[in-house]
Amino acid sequence: MRNKPQELCWLEAMKHRGHLSNEEQNSYQRLSNGIQGEVIFDQLFDHFLGNEVSYLDDVTLDYRGDVLQMDKILQNKSTVYLADIKNYQGNYVYENNALKIGGTVFANDIIEQARRARRIFTRLFEDYQLPLEIKNVIVFINDQGRIILKDDLPEIILNYEEIPSWLMSLRGRTQTSQNMN
């Protein structure tokens, strides 16, 4: 079961007691949207995979002074997937190594964030001689959000409608062979 971030719990308590500043309201909205997206992904994961794939939720890792947080880590055979779930709304474009919406470049590069996480896990696995392949997965969970890739990227980038077939591919099955209820 996924737990709410401590900061979100604090902001919820403050909201019930009174007024939040604009900065606090923005943080509250961002964290609330984030946890909602993670819960939606968890539901899809449970529906399509159940207990067929090992996973960890909300992992914070501090390795050799490098700290990172992963929404979900999945292991399927000899591959570890580092999943970052984005509950973004709107139409995004990734081109020239930058995420943009309406021509505005995001200051936080989600692809570089994912690559940093992979580098940290690569070092950890090498240090402990774990022969596992590491892949990044960036999930756009909101059905009102899309990303169009104009750059070739090694990361797995999923729009909402692509999530079920990707999850089923972890079982080695295709959507056409899945019995949908």
Side-chain angles (χ1 to χ4, degrees), residues 129-160:
Q129 300 174 4
L130 299 171
L132 299 169
E133 180 181 11
I134 303 166
K135 292 187 178 183
N136 289 111
V137 183
I138 300 173
V139 179
F140 279 69
I141 193 68
N142 192 321
D143 63 353
Q144 300 298 310
R146 304 200 50 68
I147 185 169
I148 297 169
L149 301 174
K150 295 197 174 179
D151 293 352
D152 287 330
L153 301 173
E155 292 79 14
I156 299 167
I157 314 289
L158 301 171
N159 285 305
Y160 180 78

Side-chain angles (χ1 to χ4, degrees), residues 40-53 55 72 74 141 160-181:
I40 292 167
F41 184 77
D42 290 344
Q43 291 168 345
L44 290 169
F45 181 88
D46 289 343
H47 177 76
F48 289 103
L49 291 173
N51 293 325
E52 294 185 41
V53 173
Y55 68 93
K72 195 173 210 80
L74 304 83
I141 193 68
Y160 180 78
E161 67 276 3
E162 299 167 313
I163 298 168
S165 59
W166 180 75
L167 289 171
M168 289 187 295
S169 76
L170 296 178
R171 290 195 318 201
R173 298 174 71 179
T174 62
Q175 190 166 1
T176 55
S177 68
Q178 173 72 19
N179 293 328
M180 302 296 281
N181 293 344

Side-chain angles (χ1 to χ4, degrees), residues 34-91:
I35 192 77
Q36 288 171 9
E38 292 166 11
V39 168
I40 292 167
F41 184 77
D42 290 344
Q43 291 168 345
L44 290 169
F45 181 88
D46 289 343
H47 177 76
F48 289 103
L49 291 173
N51 293 325
E52 294 185 41
V53 173
S54 299
Y55 68 93
L56 296 170
D57 288 334
D58 287 325
V59 175
T60 300
L61 175 68
D62 183 344
Y63 188 67
R64 292 189 171 186
D66 288 318
V67 179
L68 65 93
Q69 186 275 331
M70 293 306 310
D71 296 328
K72 195 173 210 80
I73 300 174
L74 304 83
Q75 183 182 358
N76 189 23
K77 301 179 183 169
S78 64
T79 304
V80 172
Y81 298 92
L82 306 176
D84 192 11
I85 301 159
K86 302 297 182 189
N87 194 5
Y88 293 174
Q89 200 169 359
N91 295 314

Side-chain angles (χ1 to χ4, degrees), residues 11 15 20-30:
L11 289 168
K15 185 175 182 175
L20 295 176
S21 70
N22 286 341
E23 184 179 332
E24 290 169 332
Q25 182 61 39
N26 289 340
S27 290
Y28 170 79
Q29 196 61 48
R30 179 182 49 80

Side-chain angles (χ1 to χ4, degrees), residues 90-101:
N91 295 314
Y92 297 82
V93 175
Y94 195 86
E95 66 179 333
N96 299 322
N97 294 315
L99 181 66
K100 302 173 185 176
I101 185 165

